[in-house]
Amino acid sequence: MTEPMPHPLPSYLNPKDPGPWGIYLQQVDRVAPYLGPLTRWIETLKRPKRILIVDIPVELDNGQVAHFEGYRVQHNTSRGPGKGGVRYHQDVTLSEVMALSAWMSVKAAAVNLPFGGAKGGIRIDPRDYSQAELERITRRYTSEIGAIIGPNKDIPAPDVNTNAQTMAWMMDTYSMNEGMTATGVVTGKPVALGGSLGRVEATGRGVYVAACEAARECHIDIKGARVAVQGFGNVGGTAARLLHEAGAKVVAVYDHTGIVHNAHGLNTLALFDHVRTAGGVAGAPDSESLTPEEFWSLETEILIPAALEGQITQDNADLIHTKILVEGANGPTTPEADDILSSKGTMIVPDVVANAGGVTVSYFEWVQDFSSFFWTEQEINHRLEAMMRAAYSAMSGVAREHQVSLRTAAFIVACTRILEARQVRGLYP
Ligand code: NAD
């Protein structure tokens, strides 16, 4: 028996990466024992398929020429074209974009969407640039990555600091370069341009469905269940409203302006009105304010972090007394906090499934663009709820079978699907 061949890693793939890519690699190593013969292919998950780094030269409004660094990483396309957002942020790094692209592979596969994972970004603080400059930056970036994106190759979407307008510019640039109107090259577009109804609320609606499924599994009645939510924006606000409508008591809401609490339940519709006029939840009528420590210590059935990453850490995990934690945000729970909560018996519904409603409706948008036939909002919500329930059920079945957490189970489901596709496709050339 000869020794296996060593597999030297390219220099940019540091296996001891202390950043997001390193965290992702640890997660893959944790599921390896559950992949059976597919473990043979596991290295596929540890190396992005394609990394493109582009220079973006742009003439600024003052006549100077500035250069920006942009990325598009396609982590895996075994199950379908790449899918993932484009982030504009001054802290964007290749390690971060690689990890985010890998998590998109996992998220798409966990929900059984026929997509691989990709992500893009430009290292830029968009607040420093005019709308006209941002348009030129977006168009040049799109042209530079144009060779590797496309409705059948890789479909970008909005992420941090990008929006429907950014997608409209990307779609237009790609279409002009290709000499055709290609609406399906991006998702998250304005509805006037082939965007989907229901997209804005999709992630929050998915969080709501995941919370209901978890409650059912824990024999908790949603009616009367106490819910606390961090983040009252697109994701947290929608989830809170839907839970309130289903009879739950939203007892506390935490946003960037403060924390409001009412033990009998806040009126989420009135809270939306207050946020619209006051800019945040602080000072909402019929509520008292809490400190962050008091918020995390609240006894609840359901806690939904839906604001920022890294909010639940080893410093506050001990305070938390909730039966179910539904991760609306990406990465809100650190690995140390995850261990503390799991040892207390808290059920954690992981981000890769809990907040997958957005990418699911992005998938619906892409399907509608291909067929040029658009669905009603009711149809979209109905299909979204069915896909979220199926994803939850696949994850929880594997968790029971292997006696592992829902997070590990979601990774097992996703990595198995990706590597099965890899295996049956085989290697070519
Ligand atoms: P949003 O901008 O609409 O809302 C963010 C909310 O978080 C606001 O209520 C804001 O006040 C609150 N917030 C900001 N800083 C805070 C702080 N320091 N402390 C407490 N609250 C704070 O954003 P969103 O679209 O609802 O996204 C929320 C999270 O969900 C993000 O982590 C995002 O990456 C993730 N996510 C969003 C989607 C989507 O489709 N929108 C999809 C998947 C994941």
Side-chain angles (χ1 to χ4, degrees):
M1 188 79 176
T2 52
E3 284 293 305
M5 286 284 289
H7 301 281
L9 284 168
S11 57
Y12 55 84
L13 290 184
N14 174 9
K16 299 204 174 1
D17 186 326
W21 178 249
I23 294 176
Y24 164 73
L25 290 180
Q26 286 174 29
Q27 292 170 333
V28 173
D29 285 337
R30 209 168 305 146
V31 300
Y34 302 99
L35 298 178
L38 290 171
T39 313
R40 173 169 181 249
W41 296 94
I42 199 160
E43 199 65 13
T44 303
L45 298 170
K46 297 185 177 182
R47 299 173 187 237
K49 173 186 173 60
R50 187 178 283 129
I51 293 175
L52 182 60
I53 303 177
V54 295
D55 174 44
I56 306 163
V58 174
E59 187 171 340
L60 301 179
D61 293 344
N62 65 9
Q64 284 181 348
V65 176
H67 290 254
F68 303 93
E69 190 165 306
Y71 307 96
R72 186 73 190 170
V73 177
Q74 294 167 349
H75 171 259
N76 189 280
T77 57
S78 295
R79 305 180 72 250
K83 186 89 196 78
V86 176
R87 175 171 292 199
Y88 289 179
H89 198 274
Q90 60 277 17
D91 298 333
V92 163
T93 62
L94 180 58
S95 160
E96 180 187 58
V97 181
M98 289 190 320
L100 292 169
S101 71
W103 282 319
M104 283 306 297
S105 298
V106 173
K107 191 178 290 193
V111 197
N112 214 3
L113 305 179
F115 286 139
K119 200 83 182 188
I122 304 179
R123 192 176 313 131
I124 182 176
D125 185 344
R127 290 170 301 187
D128 294 342
Y129 299 91
S130 70
Q131 192 73 348
E133 287 168 334
L134 289 173
E135 177 173 352
R136 291 199 289 279
I137 291 163
T138 301
R139 288 185 181 278
R140 182 64 190 236
Y141 169 70
T142 309
S143 282
E144 292 294 344
I145 65 167
I148 65 164
I149 62 169
N152 286 312
K153 291 182 181 174
D154 177 3
I155 306 122
D159 192 69
V160 175
N161 292 330
T162 56
N163 53 30
Q165 176 61 76
T166 321
M167 294 307 110
W169 292 329
M170 289 190 78
M171 174 271 175
D172 183 68
T173 307
Y174 179 85
S175 296
M176 290 301 102
N177 288 346
E178 295 293 311
M180 62 180 183
T181 294
T183 50
V185 66
V186 289
T187 60
K189 298 180 293 295
V191 173
L193 202 56
S196 181
L197 297 172
R199 173 64 188 89
V200 175
E201 290 200 343
T203 306
R205 186 172 291 277
V207 169
Y208 160 73
V209 175
C212 292
E213 291 300 292
R216 204 171 42 80
E217 211 175 355
C218 295
H219 307 292
I220 292 170
D221 193 350
I222 281 290
K223 283 200 175 57
R226 292 163 298 175
V227 178
V229 185
Q230 188 196 33
F232 199 66
N234 191 348
V235 180
T238 303
R241 177 177 63 77
L242 293 171
L243 283 162
H244 175 82
E245 284 169 9
K249 269 197 296 194
V250 179
V251 293
V253 174
Y254 180 170
D255 80 355
H256 70 287
T257 63
I259 304 170
V260 289
H261 174 248
N262 181 334
H264 303 293
L266 296 157
N267 179 340
T268 52
L269 284 181
L271 196 53
F272 274 115
D273 288 340
H274 176 79
V275 169
R276 255 191 296 275
T277 51
V281 299
D286 297 327
S287 73
E288 61 187 13
S289 76
L290 295 184
T291 64
E293 288 69 29
E294 289 169 330
F295 173 85
W296 297 117
S297 308
L298 284 173
E299 205 158 304
T300 56
E301 276 68 48
I302 301 171
L303 172 64
I304 305 177
L308 306 168
E309 58 195 47
Q311 292 298 294
I312 301 175
T313 67
Q314 54 194 349
D315 298 332
N316 60 2
D318 268 332
L319 300 176
I320 291 175
H321 289 94
T322 191
K323 299 207 169 57
I324 302 167
L325 190 148
V326 187
E327 294 187 331
N330 285 317
T333 317
T334 64
E336 298 78 25
D338 198 314
D339 290 344
I340 295 170
L341 289 166
S342 299
S343 69
K344 291 204 289 191
T346 310
M347 177 191 260
I348 302 177
V349 187
D351 48 7
V352 288
V353 168
N355 70 27
V359 70
T360 303
V361 173
S362 276
Y363 162 58
F364 297 162
E365 178 176 338
W366 179 75
V367 170
Q368 292 171 82
D369 287 340
F370 261 116
S371 54
S372 296
F373 181 76
F374 292 88
W375 311 344
T376 64
E377 189 157 355
Q378 204 183 10
E379 275 175 286
I380 285 159
N381 291 344
H382 180 73
R383 288 176 198 265
L384 168 64
E385 288 174 20
M387 288 197 74
M388 287 298 302
R389 273 197 293 274
Y392 188 94
S393 157
M395 168 179 74
S396 93
V398 166
R400 272 196 303 277
E401 181 189 340
H402 293 295
Q403 292 296 305
V404 293
S405 68
L406 290 178
R407 193 185 310 281
T408 303
F411 268 73
I412 295 172
V413 170
C415 294
T416 302
R417 286 178 177 156
I418 296 168
L419 297 183
E420 271 174 354
R422 176 70 277 158
Q423 177 164 272
V424 290
R425 283 179 68 158
L427 294 178
Y428 174 84

